[in-house]
Amino acid sequence: MTDQGYLRIATEEAFAPPELITRWRSMLADGSSGDPGFDSLWGFYMGDSPRARQIVERLEDLGERRIADMDATGIDRQIIALTSPGTQIFDAAEGTAIAAAANDVLADACRRHPDRFTGLTAIAPQDPERAAEEIERGVNRLGFRGVIINSHTRGEYLDDKKFWPVLEAAEALDTPIYLHPNTPSPRMIEPMLEAGLDGAVFGFAVETGLHLLRMITSGVFDRFPRLRVVVGHLGEALPFWSYRIDFMHTASLRSGRFPHLSALELAPGEYLRRNIWVTTSGMAWEPAILFTRQVLGDDRVLYAMDYPYQSAPTEVSVHDRLPIDAAALRALYQTNAEKVFGLPPSS
Ligand code: CA
């Protein structure tokens, strides 16, 4: 226990094995990704700007450099996941192989630094059955505490029944899925790219929020009522939209305008408060954090930094100074994460 009375557990922290970076680099070079968002974003990060270089170096490190950065910003533990788009840009066979290799690398680092690192299982949803097996391996053999899915998989979303083996495995093993942003799919990115709004500035949240809302309105959480999903960036704007979504979803059902839209057991916003937890990654902003806690509940909002993309002591200070009591601050930083990811409780 550190001086402030709570551990700071950062829950959306990224890594990438050098082999994955090399493979992405070759995809960019030969133009084979088929994904304009990937080409734009990773074209930048594979460049030689100072920001790009230091991000890639930090993504690749699972040792002393990462721990030094954690110490410098006051972070006790990172929940670490394969950075976006992970394996979801590859064909099924290559994605499955790279996910397993990345999981072995991360599990080894977690074994070397058990007090500082916790891992999430990378999968290739392109092969749902193999992905389900990898979730089981992650939980039962590698000691991982959740699953990372970097939003759409080659333009497809998890409400597609082909992906249900993945959801079924996560629910059966009681391990949460972290639904992390990806660049918008080729079908939605063009107007965003034109305006330079495709990335973290806006496009990530639109794409990931859409993904989660599709899961809700398609009935995924009626089919898998115990499935737990964690999303970053304070819920990718869905808490702010929740009243209007509930109101208009009811109106859409009543109108019969969309014959394939079927009734749900709950209002969309009720799934947010039953199946979804959100983290503060990239949203170190007091009004938004307080609003989200008010809408979803104190027990559903978790701290995240978004290392190495954002790594700022000033943003930690914003969380430390939130006008909430000591128990609530401890929940935000520590005990909510311990519960959601099933970490052994710290004293
Ligand atoms: Ca992130």
Side-chain angles (χ1 to χ4, degrees):
M1 181 66 58
T2 34
D3 295 345
Q4 67 276 358
Y6 45 81
L7 297 177
R8 294 192 190 92
I9 302 175
T11 56
E12 189 198 296
E13 318 308 309
F15 92 108
E19 296 75 13
L20 177 62
I21 297 286
T22 300
R23 181 66 185 97
W24 281 350
R25 212 180 279 282
S26 75
M27 284 185 105
L28 284 163
D30 65 20
S32 64
S33 80
D35 186 326
F38 172 83
D39 293 347
S40 174
L41 185 72
W42 282 97
F44 169 74
Y45 280 123
M46 298 301 183
D48 59 4
S49 71
R51 171 168 169 86
R53 274 203 309 273
Q54 69 97 4
I55 293 291
V56 169
E57 285 169 15
R58 283 177 161 80
L59 282 170
E60 292 181 341
D61 183 278
L62 284 173
E64 297 313 315
R65 179 172 197 163
R66 181 174 296 255
I67 287 170
D69 286 342
M70 291 166 67
D71 291 343
T73 46
I75 302 304
D76 295 281
R77 178 179 292 280
Q78 284 191 348
I79 310 273
I80 303 175
L82 190 63
T83 203
S84 185
T87 67
Q88 291 165 247
I89 191 109
F90 301 115
D91 66 32
E94 184 174 23
T96 300
I98 290 177
N103 288 333
D104 289 338
V105 168
L106 181 58
D108 181 58
C110 293
R111 277 190 290 270
R112 280 185 280 112
H113 302 284
D115 299 333
R116 308 304 296 274
F117 298 166
T118 296
L120 302 185
T121 307
I123 59 170
Q126 301 91 310
D127 185 337
E129 299 292 343
R130 291 287 301 279
E133 291 170 15
E134 189 66 6
I135 292 172
E136 194 273 338
R137 187 175 83 101
V139 170
N140 289 332
R141 292 175 52 196
L142 302 180
F144 290 156
R145 299 297 185 160
V147 179
I148 180 70
I149 297 182
N150 287 299
S151 202
H152 74 86
T153 301
R154 301 177 128 199
E156 295 183 312
Y157 295 89
L158 291 172
D159 54 279
D160 189 321
K161 285 183 184 173
K162 72 198 267 188
F163 295 120
W164 280 14
V166 171
L167 308 181
E168 198 166 20
E171 186 191 51
L173 292 157
D174 194 26
T175 200
I177 291 174
Y178 202 119
L179 187 69
H180 181 278
N182 192 350
T183 48
S185 72
R187 283 190 291 162
M188 77 187 293
I189 200 171
E190 286 304 331
M192 295 185 185
L193 270 177
E194 282 171 10
L197 297 173
D198 52 300
V201 62
F202 188 67
F204 285 178
V206 172
E207 199 278 338
T208 314
L210 170 73
H211 193 161
L212 180 59
L213 190 55
R214 282 180 64 125
M215 292 173 71
I216 291 172
T217 58
S218 68
V220 158
F221 297 101
D222 290 339
R223 174 66 182 74
F224 302 102
R226 295 183 315 284
L227 180 63
R228 296 183 295 134
V229 174
V230 184
V231 287
H233 316 98
L234 289 176
E236 312 294 4
L238 290 188
F240 189 82
W241 278 86
S242 189
Y243 171 83
R244 187 161 167 82
I245 289 169
D246 286 359
F247 188 95
M248 288 301 171
H249 183 255
T250 302
S252 296
L253 284 170
R254 197 188 309 117
S255 73
R257 180 178 158 205
F258 301 100
H260 55 288
L261 199 64
S262 46
L264 301 172
E265 291 174 13
L266 305 173
E270 292 177 284
Y271 298 96
L272 290 181
R273 290 183 291 273
R274 188 186 76 178
N275 296 89
I276 311 302
W277 285 259
V278 308
T279 79
T280 64
S281 54
M283 294 289 277
W285 188 32
E286 180 185 307
I289 297 170
L290 297 183
F291 171 82
T292 308
R293 290 172 78 259
Q294 184 184 354
V295 171
L296 299 188
D298 300 355
D299 56 344
R300 308 198 85 83
V301 182
L302 289 65
Y303 172 70
M305 174 174 275
D306 210 357
Y307 180 91
Y309 300 100
Q310 277 176 242
S311 183
T314 51
E315 295 193 344
V316 177
S317 301
V318 166
H319 290 79
D320 288 340
R321 289 197 308 265
L322 286 171
I324 58 179
D325 67 28
L329 202 52
R330 185 161 182 261
L332 178 85
Y333 264 122
Q334 176 184 344
T335 54
N336 288 348
E338 288 172 348
K339 286 176 195 152
V340 172
F341 296 102
L343 308 178
S346 312
S347 54

